[in-house]
Amino acid sequence: MVDQEVIGSQLKTDRFPFQSEGDITLAVRNANYTLGPVMLHIVMKPGAAIPAHLHNGMAEALYVVEGDFVNEGKQYQADTSLHFKAGKEHGPHTTKNGCKLLVLWTERTSNEAADLSDFVFATRAAWAMSQR
C-alpha cells in the first residue's frame, strides 16, 4: 500500500523561495522524512541562477531531468546526477537554455554505504510469484 501519492498535475508550484536570479519555480513532492528523502522539482528558465549555498545537516542529490544545468561553471546535460555531502558548499547553479531538476535531500549524513540487503519480499508468495 502506498503511503503517499503525488500526482504532478496536482502539485502546487511556487516561485523559488531562496535568493536567486531569473525565473525559477519549485514544487515540493515530499517534505516528510519518514516517507524517504525530501523531494523537490525545480524548473529554471533560460538565464536563471541560484547562488553558491550549502545545506547543514542534510546531503543533496540533484538529477538533471531535462535541459542544460551548470554547477560551478561546468555544464551537465539531462540524465546526469550530482551528489553533495551535508555542509558542502555547491553552486552557483545556472542554465543557458533552461532545465528541470529533481532534488533529493536526506538527513543521513554518515559515511555508511547503502545496504541493499534490506530489500525483502513481504511474503513467501510474493517471492514464488517473482520466480515464475
Side-chain angles (χ1 to χ4, degrees):
M1 172 178 267
V2 175
D3 290 309
Q4 179 181 19
E5 184 177 87
V6 179
I7 309 296
S9 62
Q10 298 171 348
L11 280 175
K12 181 181 179 212
T13 301
D14 294 309
R15 172 115 177 91
F16 191 71
F18 307 106
Q19 180 183 351
S20 60
E21 295 177 19
D23 187 4
I24 305 173
T25 58
L26 170 81
V28 178
R29 299 184 78 82
N30 175 49
N32 184 341
Y33 279 118
T34 65
L35 296 172
V38 167
M39 184 181 289
L40 311 169
H41 185 204
I42 297 174
V43 176
M44 298 175 70
K45 296 293 184 179
I50 300 171
H53 60 281
L54 56 91
H55 310 279
N56 285 318
M58 64 185 166
E60 178 178 308
L62 181 151
Y63 179 73
V64 182
V65 176
E66 183 179 296
D68 66 277
F69 176 77
V70 179
N71 178 65
E72 299 172 6
K74 183 174 179 182
Q75 185 168 329
Y76 298 92
Q77 297 302 318
D79 201 28
T80 301
S81 63
L82 305 175
H83 304 264
F84 306 99
K85 290 181 179 179
K88 181 175 183 189
E89 185 176 311
H90 51 286
H93 303 321
T94 61
T95 181
K96 181 178 178 184
N97 300 304
C99 63
K100 292 182 180 179
L101 310 169
L102 183 64
V103 178
L104 304 175
W105 290 340
T106 178
E107 289 182 308
R108 189 174 202 159
T109 59
S110 69
N111 294 322
E112 289 183 36
D115 180 6
L116 300 182
S117 67
D118 68 354
F119 178 91
V120 293
F121 289 102
T123 65
R124 289 189 184 269
W127 170 252
M129 293 286 290
S130 71
Q131 298 302 303
R132 291 185 184 170

